[in-house]
Amino acid sequence: MTDDPKLQPFRTLAPPPSPAAPPLLEPRTEEDLIREELERGILFTTMDSVAIWPLGFGLACCAIEMMAIAGPRFDISRFGAEVFRGSPRQADLMIVAGRVSVKMAPVLRQLYDQMPDPKWVISMGACASCGGVFNNYAILQGVDKIVPVDVYVPGCPPRPEGLIHGIMKLQEKILASRVELGPTVPKGKRKGAA
């Protein structure tokens, strides 16, 4: 065997050189602190700078229009809502797209209850908003009968631009309101309050 590394049949990887320790007296910048947080896998931020993560609940023809907003033609990522989540525990916006049957209503409510606070709902289309043309015993006459709705997007089916406009209106509503996590007791009704 030769000592030439090019002629060796096997390579051995040397450990990477250890980074030099920062001087103790040097002040650390905010960028260094953020970099350290990212390396640990934890990042703290405010609610104003977090994007919306929708949970698509597509039940009928409106679901096709809802799926179109994630494509290259409409590109919802420009508005910070492109990460459609597959689990309600990771989503904070429920987009109900299409008619909701009476049998599906408890499932929709259960998914809504599993979403973490704060959470919002967009009712997309005439069927989700008021039952649409299905005025009968099998279709729920408005999803607002079982979950609180923040934004209604009209149409049958509404165009993807309409849903994007609804998401933008919801973002304006979120920025204008103060976000409260979980059920809170009004200040006047707390124990010991006069």
Side-chain angles (χ1 to χ4, degrees):
M1 287 239 167
T2 64
D3 291 334
D4 187 13
K6 294 181 182 176
L7 300 176
Q8 293 285 341
F10 300 105
R11 291 186 327 179
T12 57
L13 297 176
S18 61
L24 294 175
L25 300 176
E26 182 179 314
R28 296 182 347 195
T29 64
E30 184 178 345
E31 184 178 319
D32 292 335
L33 295 173
I34 292 173
R35 182 174 288 119
E36 287 176 12
E37 282 185 21
L38 286 173
E39 288 172 359
R40 285 195 308 254
I42 300 172
L43 181 65
F44 296 100
T45 185
T46 62
M47 288 300 297
D48 295 340
S49 60
V50 177
I52 296 174
W53 288 4
L55 170 71
F57 201 76
L59 298 167
C61 47
C62 290
I64 304 299
E65 305 295 325
M66 179 182 65
M67 288 183 265
I69 67 168
R73 181 176 221 164
F74 299 102
D75 192 24
I76 193 64
S77 62
R78 293 176 292 157
F79 304 103
E82 77 276 6
V83 185
F84 275 87
R85 307 310 297 172
S87 168
R89 290 179 175 88
Q90 299 171 352
D92 55 5
L93 167 64
M94 177 184 277
I95 301 174
V96 182
R99 59 188 178 271
V100 180
S101 67
V102 174
K103 279 188 171 184
M104 186 57 76
V107 176
L108 188 136
R109 181 61 197 204
Q110 181 180 8
L111 291 174
Y112 177 79
D113 290 338
Q114 290 175 352
M115 291 169 60
D117 287 321
K119 53 191 168 188
W120 300 278
V121 177
I122 291 180
S123 176
M124 180 181 176
C127 293
S129 299
C130 65
V133 298
F134 303 100
N135 188 10
N136 59 34
Y137 65 92
I139 301 299
L140 193 68
Q141 300 301 305
V143 75
D144 57 353
K145 305 260 192 262
I146 55 170
V147 293
V149 176
D150 296 292
V151 175
Y152 293 91
V153 178
C156 184
R159 297 271 308 142
E161 295 94 342
L163 181 56
I164 290 172
H165 180 71
I167 290 172
M168 290 170 53
K169 286 296 176 188
L170 178 65
Q171 288 172 335
E172 290 174 11
K173 184 176 182 178
I174 292 169
L175 290 175
S177 67
R178 189 172 145 254
V179 177
E180 294 182 10
L181 301 176
T184 58
V185 179
K187 288 184 181 179
K189 302 203 178 197
R190 290 185 183 155
K191 289 183 181 178

